[in-house]
Amino acid sequence: SAVISQKPSRDICQRGTSLTIQCQVDSQVTMMFWYRQQPGQSLTLIATANQGSEATYESGFVIDKFPISRPNLTFSTLTVSNMSPEDSSIYLCSVEKGDYEQYFGPGTRLTVT
Amino acid sequence: DAKTTQPPSMDCAEGRAANLPCNHSTISGNEYVYWYRQIHSQGPQYIIHGLKNNETNEMASLIITEDRKSSTLILPHATLRDTAVYYCIVRVAGNDMRFGAGTRLTVKP
């Protein structure tokens, strides 16, 4: 299994500002994923982040709005830039481990006012 | 990746078995069936996965039909803490997880 932590656990931010969310894993992993879960909705994949390469973004998500860093095999950040109230969501990171399982972090609850 | 169809909600009595169905009629031969659950506002929790054989672990059993077009997750003795949204996902190992709407299971005393 994998133990994943995210910081911050929650935040309230003002429109137009940016927030960087950190994801830390207790072991080295190749693949990390970032998801968004809007209120009352299911999870939507934002991007896949592999160490040593540029993140791959899903349709509807762009690097300028959601820049991602993956400096090593245990850490990644997602920045939500120039926030608007529509960005209010839970943001989750997940990792792929051996035996084809994905494990999820506890999420970061973001409220934009 | 193939899509899945799940009932939007189900109820189950505490102590009884909860049987959650999932249809995945367009599943490919190399796609696994995964089940996750999400308890209110927490990150999704892995439950079980399988390819074509039935699987059992300490949390649940997964029954996959012979043609692999559907599956059932069984929680043998549901408790109130099993109240959650359950997601059935099919994917090729190593690909990202694509979540549908899931089934909201409510376990009632």
Side-chain angles (χ1 to χ4, degrees):
Chain A
S1 66
V3 177
I4 304 168
S5 61
Q6 288 186 231
K7 290 183 181 179
S9 59
R10 59 178 61 224
D11 206 342
I12 301 173
C13 301
Q14 290 193 336
R15 180 196 301 260
T17 63
S18 298
L19 176 72
T20 296
I21 302 168
Q22 300 178 9
C23 179
Q24 180 76 52
V25 190
D26 68 340
S27 57
Q28 293 185 342
V29 295
T30 301
M31 301 178 70
M32 296 182 77
F33 306 91
W34 286 97
Y35 290 83
R36 180 176 74 181
Q37 187 170 29
Q38 295 176 302
Q41 303 296 312
S42 185
L43 283 76
T44 301
L45 180 67
I46 297 172
T48 302
N50 292 336
Q51 196 270 336
S53 62
E54 294 286 325
T56 302
Y57 289 82
E58 295 299 306
S59 176
F61 297 96
V62 295
I63 187 171
D64 290 346
K65 175 67 175 178
F66 298 100
I68 289 172
S69 76
R70 183 79 201 274
N72 58 52
L73 292 173
T74 64
F75 187 78
S76 178
T77 67
L78 169 76
T79 298
V80 186
S81 304
N82 188 24
M83 288 183 284
S84 66
E86 291 72 34
D87 295 319
S88 297
S89 296
I90 299 173
Y91 292 85
L92 302 109
C93 68
S94 73
V95 302
E96 179 88 1
K97 290 289 289 185
D99 207 22
Y100 311 136
E101 297 170 18
Q102 271 196 22
Y103 298 92
F104 286 79
T108 295
R109 183 182 294 275
L110 171 62
T111 302
V112 183
T113 60
Chain B
D1 287 347
K3 293 184 177 179
T4 62
T5 304
Q6 299 179 251
S9 64
M10 293 182 63
D11 291 341
C12 178
E14 187 178 20
R16 304 296 294 269
N19 297 278
L20 291 90
C22 180
N23 287 323
H24 31 80
S25 58
T26 59
I27 191 170
S28 300
N30 60 346
E31 288 181 312
Y32 287 75
V33 179
Y34 289 78
W35 283 85
Y36 282 76
R37 72 180 182 184
Q38 188 175 27
I39 297 170
H40 180 64
S41 295
Q42 299 179 19
Q45 177 189 22
Y46 166 82
I47 300 173
I48 199 167
H49 77 281
L51 184 61
K52 50 185 175 181
N53 297 324
N54 298 338
E55 302 288 344
T56 295
N57 62 21
E58 65 278 3
M59 289 182 66
S61 294
L62 173 61
I63 308 298
I64 303 174
T65 58
E66 191 169 344
D67 63 8
R68 303 212 319 126
K69 293 185 177 182
S70 65
S71 61
T72 301
L73 178 74
I74 301 173
L75 308 178
H77 305 287
T79 71
L80 298 179
R81 288 176 294 180
D82 292 321
T83 292
V85 178
Y86 287 77
Y87 297 100
C88 169
I89 301 164
V90 294
R91 69 151 187 164
V92 175
N95 285 3
D96 52 86
M97 291 283 177
R98 303 282 172 155
F99 287 77
T103 295
R104 182 174 297 277
L105 175 69
T106 302
V107 180
K108 298 185 174 182

